[in-house]
Amino acid sequence: MNTSLINQKNQTCIDTCNECAMMCEACCTECMSNTEMAGMMGRCMMMCRDCAMMCTMTAMMMARGSEYSKQMCEMCATVCDACAMECEKMGNKMEACKECAEMCKKCAQECRNMMR
């Protein structure tokens, strides 16, 4: 199997997953540093951490042409959707959450595109 062809085919989704992971990490950090709202941000932080890990693992599996890439993309889309919903709850109070929610939605869509 030619992994360079697989990587090119999957590159948009790989890039989007990596961007989403970085955005989730940034959102989590922003939530932790907001001492005023830290108590309300627990679930958001946990979802962002889960989403970042899932996106990173999905990108790595696609990059190496894993036979489980489609299943990972399906799970990644599910986790991204959940993270987006949680971040949207705080999006009117924190810009990082709003941006993270948008990125998660974009990543979920890219992952769904890969499942076709």
Side-chain angles (χ1 to χ4, degrees):
M1 184 176 285
N2 186 342
T3 56
S4 68
L5 291 177
I6 292 169
N7 291 352
Q8 289 173 354
K9 177 184 164 210
N10 299 342
Q11 195 60 54
T12 301
C13 192
I14 291 168
D15 291 344
T16 304
C17 283
N18 285 327
E19 287 177 45
C20 190
M22 288 187 291
M23 182 64 74
C24 286
E25 289 291 347
C27 184
C28 185
T29 299
E30 186 75 21
C31 290
M32 285 190 290
S33 66
N34 188 329
T35 55
E36 219 175 80
M37 297 177 60
M40 298 169 34
M41 305 304 284
R43 178 148 168 75
C44 184
M45 289 184 277
M46 289 190 308
M47 290 302 304
C48 284
R49 291 177 68 201
D50 286 349
C51 191
M53 186 61 69
M54 180 57 69
C55 288
T56 299
M57 189 169 17
T58 301
M60 288 189 301
M61 291 183 80
M62 281 188 292
R64 68 174 176 243
S66 172
E67 63 185 274
Y68 298 103
S69 291
K70 287 187 181 192
Q71 291 93 330
M72 288 301 295
C73 284
E74 181 177 10
M75 185 67 177
C76 190
T78 299
V79 173
C80 283
D81 284 338
C83 189
M85 284 195 307
E86 193 61 35
C87 284
E88 282 179 333
K89 292 177 185 175
M90 295 295 159
N92 62 338
K93 295 178 176 92
M94 292 185 64
E95 187 63 26
C97 290
K98 182 179 177 182
E99 291 173 11
C100 188
E102 291 304 313
M103 187 70 229
C104 287
K105 289 177 190 177
K106 180 179 176 184
C107 189
Q109 186 57 53
E110 283 298 328
C111 284
R112 285 190 184 90
N113 291 344
M114 290 304 300
M115 293 163 41
R116 294 181 188 149

